[in-house]
């Protein structure tokens, strides 16, 4: 592999105009597609195999034309202080709004608050339910605008009016923190390279890669039902890995220049060595993200595949466009150790630098001398951070987790005030009595049984379909949708349904957004262990090929488990317990998003293996060239610690930039990934890894002879480039690439 990538790097350096033109053309093509595509909406929660989904499908079949998947909105009205919503003037304003909403071309029905008993007991709050013929993804902007205008007209009449539901969805906003994160990344690059131009190359290529990836996602959003969160997460991960991959190749290029090689040769060797590590690091990230499909939740699968595609683009750009841009930069990108004149270059400090070991060398030497103390301290620290994870509660965000500045959140709060906290999460019970001899009696009995359960406030009479064999019953819990009490109620209704099935052959299914969220959480919990086995197993095999060792990949996997558990503990402490919630802008604490553990496992594992590959390949490179194991650890840190540290800080800055998002899911993922990178890069890879390798000695690189014979030699260290008698000619490069 190293030889092929070496040729690719030299080819891209020489044919820089051709390579740059291809990437610019791809960016333009993706941009045009995105500009002409409809905007992304909210991805629907379709969960195959769950009871909530079965009930939803049954409604589609037994209640044709009811638009079971249609968008909904709740327009909530509150009378001015000291007045009632039933007062003549206020009632006229509400009824005018209802009439205006009924005229919409996509509106299926609007329920009048006064005829539908949708007025609070104290008479101050009422709501109108709006049902649309199409889903939230298909809803026209004109319908959303009409909804906003109708609410504004009622406000002008003196009422407090807020709108909730999926018809009026707010696109996530990241604010200034995302830009600050990129700014921090730029500063770190300048400090690392000592050159503005060299620092700009990783940023430029990362932005191009993210531009292509996100534009492609936007262009395909309507076709593939991709939500706005999908592109946000692809941006987050694509920026982080794109900058890091380019950083490693540019750093290796400058190191090759410092050894006296000409620029084309340095570009080839940089891509052949650091580029090999980039390929395998990228493969681990792609495996982890694509592996999310085993959960069988379409939304999660799409998010993973879209982000994996963006990572693949980042790898390809790092391997081709970076050497092309280095060709354009020429002598403006200086050898390792030299700074530009603007940043203090040109001073005679080379001898001082050569005499004084760098910080990475000094740290690694310390760890090698005190491996047991460092290992124990690191494990205890990560274990303490992981303690809150034992209290992990899972759920999915609803309007109650939105910022208080949004109309959805204010509508949620008004409904809780007027009708109780459970009103925002009604349960829909579907009774299928097709095989029963007396369906009406079954409907009545089911309703009576549900009324006797704890935490039930209201049970509506059964509403049967035209055939009379299926009915829906709406249940209002006494607790808020995301509470454990409401989850217990859902399970209690389902337990009663099993008794009904035994007595009357009728099926009782619970659905609705609250029940769907509960089923999603359960499915994600059930899938976590198989997902871990698949992803860690595949990556373990991949790392055996890369490092030609059994214990190094095993140590890498165990270190990852420590870092991800510590990161989950931090997420629980902030988003569930409320620690530092004010500082991070967390307005509502509650259960952790149910997708968070499995998503963190996938993404953090891939990113953790990035640092493992980049750092440990330098150590193996020194070991196979004859250094003692302990000295190889120090050498690996001498060459890799500065760059890995910079890469980790950059990745943390990019992820932390998304903490300012208005979308609670994006905010949580941004924080979780940022803290996970901190734990993994600085505690696991920088402390535990050298400590374990120092303790293992030569045993760290042990591989059974039979396994050594069957494993392919991928030559990540570039050994083939060193043993070759001479560099291939340009014609040989071009012919080899054509054959490939």
């Amino acid at each position: 592999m190293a030889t092929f990538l070496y040729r690719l790097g030299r080819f891209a350096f020489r044919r820089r105009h051709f390579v740059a033109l291809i990437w610019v053309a791809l960016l333009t093509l993706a941009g045009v597609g995105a500009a002409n595509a409809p905007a992304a909406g909210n991805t629907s929660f379709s969960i195959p195999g769950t009871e909530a989904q079965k009930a939803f499908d049954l409604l589609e079949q037994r209640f044709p034309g009811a638009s079971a998947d249609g968008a909904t909105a709740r327009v909530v009205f509150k009378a001015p202080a000291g007045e009632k919503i039933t007062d003549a003037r206020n009632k006229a304003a509400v009824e005018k709004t209802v009439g205006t909403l009924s005229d919409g071309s996509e509106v299926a029905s609007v329920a009048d608050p006064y005829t539908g008993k949708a007025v609070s007991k104290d008479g101050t709050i009422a709501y109108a339910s709006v049902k649309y013929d199409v889903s939230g993804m298909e809803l026209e902007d004109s319908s959303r605008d009409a909804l906003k205008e109708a609410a504004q007209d009622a406000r002008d009449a003196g009422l407090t009016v807020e709108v909730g539901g999926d018809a009026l969805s707010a696109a996530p906003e990241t604010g200034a923190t995302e830009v600050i994160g990129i700014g921090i990344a730029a500063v770190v690059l300048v400090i690392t390279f000592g050159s503005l131009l060299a620092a700009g190359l990783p940023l430029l290529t990362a932005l191009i890669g993210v531009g292509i990836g996100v534009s492609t996602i936007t262009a395909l959003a309507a076709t593939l039902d991709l939500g706005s969160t999908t592109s946000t997460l692809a941006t987050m991960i694509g920026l982080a890995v794109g900058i890091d991959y380019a950083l490693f190749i540019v750093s290796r290029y400058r190191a090759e220049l410092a050894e006296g090689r000409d620029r084309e040769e340095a570009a080839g060797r940089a891509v052949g060595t650091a580029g090999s590590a980039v390929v395998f690091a990228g493969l681990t990230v792609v495996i982890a993200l694509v592996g999310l499909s085993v959960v069988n939740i379409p939304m999660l699968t799409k998010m993973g595949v879209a982000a994996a595609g963006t990572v693949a683009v980042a790898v390809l750009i790092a391997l081709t466009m970076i050497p092309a841009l280095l060709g354009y930069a020429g002598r403006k990108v200086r050898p390792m150790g030299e700074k530009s004149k603007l940043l203090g270059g040109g001073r005679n400090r080379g001898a001082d630098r050569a005499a004084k070991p760098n910080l990475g060398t000094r740290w690694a030497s310390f760890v090698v001398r005190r491996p047991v103390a460092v290992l124990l301290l690191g494990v205890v620290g990560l274990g303490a951070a992981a303690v809150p994870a034992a209290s992990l509660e899972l759920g999915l965000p609803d309007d109650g987790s939105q910022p208080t500045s949004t109309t959805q959140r204010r509508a949620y709060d008004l409904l809780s005030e007027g009708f109780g906290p459970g009103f925002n999460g009604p349960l829909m019970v579907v009774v299928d009595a097709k095989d029963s001899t007396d369906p009406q009696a079954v409907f009545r009995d089911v309703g009576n049984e549900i009324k006797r359960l704890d935490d039930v406030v209201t049970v509506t009479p059964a509403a049967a379909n035209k055939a009379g064999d299926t009915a829906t019953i709406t249940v209002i819990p006494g607790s808020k949708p995301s509470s454990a009490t409401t989850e217990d109620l859902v399970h209690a209704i389902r337990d009663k349904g099993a008794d009904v099935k035994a007595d009357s052959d009728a099926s009782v299914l619970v659905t609705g957004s609250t029940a769907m969220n509960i089923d999603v959480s359960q499915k994600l919990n059930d899938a976590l262990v198989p997902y871990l086995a698949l992803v860690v197993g595949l990556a373990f095999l991949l790392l055996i090929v890369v490092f030609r060792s059994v214990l190094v990949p095993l140590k890498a996997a165990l270190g990852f488990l420590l870092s991800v558990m510590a990161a989950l503990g931090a997420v629980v402490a902030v988003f569930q317990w409320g620690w530092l919630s004010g500082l991070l802008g967390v307005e509502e604490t509650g259960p952790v998003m149910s997708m968070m553990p499995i998503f963190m496992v996938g993404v953090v594992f891939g990113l953790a293996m990035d640092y493992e590959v980049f750092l440990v390949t330098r150590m193996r490179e020194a070991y196979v060239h004859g250094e003692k194991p302990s000295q190889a650890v120090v050498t690996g840190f001498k060459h890799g610690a500065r760059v890995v540290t910079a890469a980790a800080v950059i990745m943390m800055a990019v992820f932390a930039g998304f903490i300012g998002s208005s979308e609670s899911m994006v905010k949580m993922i941004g924080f979780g990934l940022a803290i996970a990178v901190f734990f993994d890069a600085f505690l696991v890879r920088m402390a535990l890894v050298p400590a374990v390798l120092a303790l293992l000695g030569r045993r760290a690189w042990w591989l059974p002879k039979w396994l050594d014979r069957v494993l392919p030699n991928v030559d990540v260290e570039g050994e083939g480039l060193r043993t070759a008698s001479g560099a291939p000619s340009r014609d040989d490069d071009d012919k080899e690439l054509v054959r490939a």
Side-chain angles (χ1 to χ4, degrees):
M1 173 179 285
T3 303
F4 170 76
L5 292 178
Y6 165 81
R7 295 177 185 274
L8 178 64
R10 293 185 63 188
F11 174 86
F13 187 93
R14 287 195 315 275
R15 304 287 190 264
R16 61 188 73 103
H17 303 310
F18 173 71
V19 172
L21 182 63
I22 287 179
W23 285 113
V24 170
L26 289 174
L27 179 62
T28 303
L29 183 64
V32 170
N36 294 318
N42 288 332
T43 306
S44 56
F45 281 105
S46 174
I47 317 296
T50 61
E51 178 174 318
Q53 188 65 45
K54 291 176 182 176
F56 183 84
D57 295 339
L58 183 65
L59 288 174
E60 289 282 321
Q61 177 186 349
R62 302 288 175 85
F63 291 82
S67 301
D69 62 343
T72 59
R74 275 179 172 173
V75 184
V76 188
F77 307 90
K78 184 176 182 180
E83 299 182 20
K84 301 288 187 181
I85 202 69
T86 52
D87 294 346
R89 183 173 65 88
N90 296 331
K91 184 176 181 180
V94 171
E95 290 179 335
K96 180 182 178 182
T97 303
V98 170
T100 302
L101 290 171
S102 302
D103 295 335
S105 59
E106 295 180 309
V107 174
S109 64
V110 181
D112 188 297
Y114 302 104
T115 59
K117 298 181 180 179
V119 178
S120 63
K121 290 182 179 179
D122 62 4
T124 60
I125 298 174
Y127 68 91
S129 296
V130 186
K131 184 76 173 177
Y132 292 88
D133 291 321
V134 296
S135 67
M137 286 287 292
E138 302 167 321
L139 199 63
E140 296 286 343
D141 289 338
S142 58
S143 296
R144 292 191 174 93
D145 293 339
L147 183 59
K148 295 176 185 176
E149 290 169 4
Q152 187 57 50
D153 289 343
R155 291 190 189 103
D156 295 340
L159 301 177
T160 298
V161 185
E162 305 296 345
V163 183
D166 60 351
L168 191 59
S169 56
E173 299 175 358
T174 55
T177 52
E178 181 183 349
V179 178
I180 293 172
I182 296 175
I184 293 173
V187 171
V188 173
L189 287 169
V190 171
I191 294 172
T192 303
F193 291 138
S195 166
L196 292 175
L197 181 61
L201 295 183
L203 281 176
L204 176 61
T205 54
L207 290 173
I208 291 174
V210 168
I212 293 173
V214 173
S215 296
T216 303
I217 291 170
T218 304
L220 298 175
T223 305
L224 301 180
D225 187 26
L226 302 176
S228 55
T229 303
T230 303
S231 59
T232 304
L233 296 177
T235 301
M236 184 190 306
I237 296 171
L239 268 178
V241 301
I243 294 174
D244 277 9
Y245 294 164
L247 166 65
F248 283 106
I249 291 179
V250 174
S251 297
R252 190 59 183 252
Y253 171 77
R254 296 177 70 231
E256 297 292 339
L257 288 180
E259 293 181 9
R261 293 186 174 86
D262 66 67
R263 296 185 177 275
E264 182 179 328
E265 178 70 9
R269 286 180 177 269
V271 176
T273 52
S276 297
V278 165
V279 169
F280 280 97
L283 269 176
T284 59
V285 180
V286 169
I287 287 173
L289 291 171
V290 173
L292 291 170
S293 58
V294 303
V295 184
N296 195 26
I297 294 179
M299 185 191 73
L300 195 59
T301 300
K302 292 169 186 175
M303 287 167 57
V305 172
T310 307
V311 171
V313 171
V315 171
L316 293 174
I317 283 186
L319 298 177
T320 57
M321 195 166 186
I322 281 293
L325 292 178
L326 290 172
Y328 283 118
R331 297 184 180 277
K332 293 179 181 178
V333 176
R334 299 171 180 269
M336 184 75 73
E338 291 187 21
K339 292 184 178 181
S340 65
K341 293 181 179 180
L342 181 64
L343 298 172
R347 300 172 187 173
N348 187 17
R349 296 180 178 174
D352 294 338
R353 289 194 188 97
K356 183 179 179 181
N358 63 20
L359 182 60
T361 301
R362 297 197 300 273
W363 169 251
S365 299
F366 169 78
V367 174
V368 167
R369 290 196 306 269
R370 301 283 189 274
V372 176
V374 172
L375 182 61
L376 288 176
L377 190 61
V379 171
V380 170
L382 288 169
V387 168
S391 302
L392 178 67
E393 295 178 7
L394 298 177
L396 282 175
D398 54 19
D399 284 348
S401 60
Q402 295 267 12
T404 53
S405 58
T406 62
T407 187
Q408 292 95 326
R409 171 60 186 276
R410 291 196 292 261
Y412 181 98
D413 291 341
L414 283 177
L415 289 171
S416 296
E417 176 188 340
F419 302 93
F423 193 80
N424 283 292
L427 305 176
M428 179 177 288
V429 179
V430 182
V431 184
D432 179 8
K434 189 174 183 178
D435 298 329
S436 175
T437 56
D438 189 356
Q440 291 299 323
V442 172
F443 300 154
R444 225 175 14 255
D445 292 342
V446 170
N448 292 332
E449 288 291 334
I450 294 174
K451 288 178 183 178
R452 297 190 186 99
L453 297 175
D454 295 335
D455 201 47
V456 173
V457 175
T458 304
V459 177
T460 64
N465 62 348
K466 291 182 179 179
D469 58 6
T470 308
T472 60
I473 301 172
T474 301
V475 180
I476 306 298
S479 304
K480 64 180 182 178
S482 58
S483 68
T485 307
T486 300
E487 182 176 350
D488 292 340
L489 175 60
V490 170
H491 292 311
I493 295 174
R494 288 173 173 171
D495 290 341
K496 288 293 182 182
D499 297 336
V500 172
K501 180 71 174 177
D503 295 339
S504 61
D505 290 330
S507 299
V508 178
L509 306 173
V510 185
T511 189
S513 60
T514 301
M516 186 72 81
N517 290 350
I518 292 169
D519 288 350
V520 169
S521 298
Q522 186 61 50
K523 188 161 189 174
L524 288 166
N525 285 340
D526 295 341
L528 185 58
V529 173
Y531 174 71
L532 262 175
L534 172 69
V535 173
V536 176
L538 287 176
F540 181 80
L541 296 176
L542 186 64
L543 291 178
I544 288 179
V545 174
V546 173
F547 295 127
R548 308 196 74 78
S549 163
V550 173
L551 295 180
V552 171
L554 180 62
K555 173 262 309 168
L558 293 176
F560 150 74
L561 291 175
L562 274 175
S563 59
V564 79
M565 288 303 297
L568 276 176
V571 169
V572 170
V574 173
F575 291 89
Q576 189 174 309
W577 293 359
W579 293 6
L580 301 177
S581 57
L583 180 63
L584 297 173
V586 180
E587 298 184 9
E588 185 74 19
T589 59
V592 172
M593 181 185 63
S594 54
M595 287 185 293
M596 193 67 185
I598 202 164
F599 190 81
M600 279 188 65
V601 164
V603 177
V604 175
F605 183 80
L607 300 180
M609 295 307 104
D610 279 2
Y611 300 121
E612 182 76 14
V613 170
F614 289 132
L615 194 59
V616 180
T617 48
R618 276 289 198 168
M619 298 178 189
R620 175 168 173 76
E621 189 176 342
Y623 176 75
V624 298
H625 283 87
E627 292 189 9
K628 294 181 179 179
S630 59
Q631 184 57 40
V633 171
V634 176
T635 301
F637 268 75
K638 175 184 177 181
H639 295 293
R642 178 183 175 89
V643 179
V644 169
T645 300
V649 172
I650 288 169
M651 196 170 282
M652 288 168 57
V654 172
F655 288 147
F658 288 84
I659 295 175
S661 174
S662 62
E663 182 86 17
S664 60
M665 181 170 70
V666 175
K667 182 191 291 287
M668 188 180 295
I669 289 177
F671 171 80
L673 294 183
I675 198 70
V677 169
F678 170 77
F679 287 142
D680 195 86
F682 293 105
L683 295 183
V684 175
R685 309 304 151 190
M686 291 291 190
L688 301 188
V689 165
V692 171
L693 290 178
L695 289 171
L696 290 175
R698 295 186 182 278
R699 289 169 295 181
W701 308 107
W702 170 78
L703 186 70
K705 291 182 179 179
W706 66 268
L707 187 56
D708 187 42
R709 288 193 297 269
V710 300
L711 286 179
N713 184 12
V714 295
D715 190 20
V716 176
E717 299 85 11
E719 181 65 21
L721 302 181
R722 292 177 174 79
T723 57
S725 59
S729 68
R730 294 186 176 190
D731 290 340
D732 289 341
D733 285 349
D734 294 345
K735 290 176 182 177
E736 181 68 23
L737 286 169
V738 169
R739 285 198 296 271

